[in-house]
Amino acid sequence: MKNNPLNGYMPDYDAAEALTRHAPTQGGETADSPTFYPTCRFCGKQTLPVEKYASAEAANEAATRKCDCDRAREYQAEIEKAEKREKNINKLRKALDDIRPYFTKERGVEYTDALYDLLFNCGVAVLDEQVAKANLNCGRVKVAISTNSKGAIVISLAYSDGARVEV
């Protein structure tokens, strides 16, 4: 355990060896760039580094994302939920762009930026579980925005020609 940096021991170098160890490499780093030991920010569990980290914060973030303590698992779930939300918002934007041709003057509604913003805000409210489902009547087009059992956004469009018979 003589050369173990985990227990605080740092070996002594002679002057010639120290000059070669601290000589700059092609990437601008020194040959003896610091090694960061990943530590979970919640429980303090330390692991051996499996890659070069840019900073101690990056190393600690990597350890926290892999740790199995309770608070780290909650943190990992929050990160996963935020990443899933961002993916669903990107899918929502693509879906709203894809339905643009469905809105025409013949159907009684024009797809303006204001309508896009309204549909987007309704979709985000559904994704954030502020509302379960949003139903909008835009001219003759009915738009329903909801999520499926997997949490993915679902946009349903229905066109009504206005024909109605009452008996």
Side-chain angles (χ1 to χ4, degrees):
M1 301 286 284
K2 187 176 175 182
N3 275 337
N4 187 352
L6 291 176
N7 65 13
Y9 177 79
M10 296 302 291
D12 295 326
Y13 299 110
D14 61 292
E17 185 180 352
L19 287 175
T20 59
R21 291 183 62 91
H22 295 288
T25 59
Q26 290 178 350
E29 299 177 352
T30 61
D32 190 29
S33 58
T35 301
F36 298 105
Y37 292 91
T39 306
C40 175
R41 70 173 62 127
F42 299 114
C43 69
K45 181 179 176 183
Q46 193 173 46
T47 58
L48 292 173
V50 293
E51 60 186 69
K52 288 282 188 187
Y53 299 105
S55 66
E57 292 81 21
N60 294 344
E61 179 69 19
T64 304
R65 286 184 179 224
K66 292 180 183 174
C67 189
D68 60 346
C69 69
D70 291 335
R71 291 183 60 201
R73 279 186 270 158
E74 290 172 6
Y75 177 72
Q76 294 160 6
E78 288 174 12
I79 290 174
E80 184 178 322
K81 185 177 178 179
E83 289 172 351
K84 185 177 179 182
R85 181 182 186 275
E86 285 302 314
K87 282 183 186 177
N88 280 333
I89 285 178
N90 289 337
K91 288 180 183 179
L92 173 64
R93 289 183 194 279
K94 184 177 179 338
L96 291 177
D97 289 339
D98 290 346
I99 65 171
R100 183 176 295 274
Y102 199 78
F103 293 91
T104 62
K105 287 185 179 183
E106 292 81 35
R107 291 194 172 132
V109 64
E110 196 172 333
Y111 200 63
T112 62
D113 290 338
L115 179 59
Y116 176 90
D117 291 340
L118 177 66
L119 293 173
F120 178 77
N121 290 333
C122 289
V124 170
V126 169
L127 285 174
D128 290 342
E129 297 176 353
Q130 294 173 344
V131 295
K133 184 176 184 179
N135 291 317
L136 301 167
N137 292 336
C138 307
R140 293 184 190 170
V141 179
K142 293 181 182 180
V143 182
I145 303 173
S146 61
T147 56
N148 62 13
S149 61
K150 296 179 183 176
I153 195 81
V154 176
I155 299 176
S156 303
L157 299 169
Y159 171 70
S160 170
D161 64 358
R164 184 173 178 180
V165 177
E166 291 185 22
V167 179

